Amino acid sequence: MKYAKILSVGHYVPENVVTNDDLTKFIDTSDEWIRERTGIRERRWFDPDKDTVANMATRATRMALERAGMEAKEIDFIVFATITPDYFFPGSGVLLQRELGLQGIGALDIRNACSGFIYALSVADNFIKAGMYKTILVVGAEIQSSALDKTTAGRSTNVIFADGAGAAIVQATDNPEHRILSTHLHADGDYAEELYVRDPGSSRKVRLSKELIEGDTFKVHMNGNFVFKHAVVRFEEVIKEALDANNLTVEDIDLLIPHQANLRISEFLQKRLGLPDDKVFNNIMHLGNTTAASIPIAMSEAWEQGKIKPGKLVCLAAFGSGFTWASALIRW
Ligand code: UT7
């Protein structure tokens, strides 16, 4: 078995819908501003009595398993992308493993923010190609809403980020016609502090203190405009890298699924690449930006809508904290 293919996808989002008008009750913003600058109409924020990162991932996985008509016990490895694990340690991968009843198999956690799912997919693709595993569960799941500054001071992040989970079952195959063609991973640590959560940082003399908790370093900090400008350049670059590596052109893409950072970023990219509306998938309008979960949720929704079918060329691309950026080309 020389290749890896995506066998099935699934997703789960919390039931709790937060509209732009809901946000105006506690921050100085407007539905009009949020729609115009981000494209978002509503997002899902978790219910602390019901949702955890691991159990949302479990629900997404169960959907993917059901669609594939297979049982969890066929999974022989887990790669879990999240920057919001349920515990400081261990990562949520082992919690998902436990919930699926798969005690004993390996579980790897990946912390590459918005690019996390593509990094995770790349690990799965290459573990399978190396012959190490046959069926790998790759998930992206996040609870961002509990880390947001829910005051007007945090309005450039609290209107964007949201919660959810997506899963993909990646499996070994001999068939070169339906497989992950390639993955491309990049990072530039010069920009680590342009989008980050500083605390609880282990390099502090005292990791948790009253002063720290009263400050704002536990919240998401983003230099929005700066991130935006880098994102549009890197998205295009990494998509072209993937196409070049496979001797393909933009015209060959059937569906581009960009990480759902901001609708304006997707639209800018679409224009730069000259892609028609039906070849770019966006769901940020109703789900916001769910970091590592955004691409697998979008894949699952696109599959539900019949936009992903055997033979289609699907391009995934992401950019986010790190900075990290990545792409994947999949012949479904
Ligand atoms: O997913 C990982 C990667 N993340 C991204 O790629 C996100 C990239 N960045 C963005 O999406 C955008 O930069 C934001 C949506 C975060 C901000 O949009 P922007 O068009 O870059 O706005 P800005 O930060 O330049 O702010 C413009 C104005 C400011 O007011 P003044 O200084 O011009 O008076 C902000 O205070 O808009 C104000 N503003 C808001 N107003 C109402 C910022 N956030 C809000 C808000 N509601 N929520």
Side-chain angles (χ1 to χ4, degrees), residues 100-111:
L100 292 170
L102 295 176
Q103 285 84 342
I105 70 164
L108 172 69
D109 285 70
I110 299 242
R111 288 172 52 85

Side-chain angles (χ1 to χ4, degrees), residues 27-30 33-34 37-38 114 155-161 195 222-228 231 259-262 264-265 289 291 319-321:
I27 56 172
D28 178 14
T29 188
S30 65
W33 191 97
I34 301 170
R37 300 293 184 111
T38 72
C114 302
R155 67 184 177 173
S156 69
T157 52
N158 59 29
V159 302
I160 294 179
F161 291 108
L195 170 49
M222 177 166 76
N223 186 353
N225 230 276
F226 188 85
V227 176
F228 193 105
H259 160 59
Q260 300 293 292
N262 181 320
R264 278 160 54 218
I265 293 179
N289 176 345
T291 323
F319 178 89
S321 170

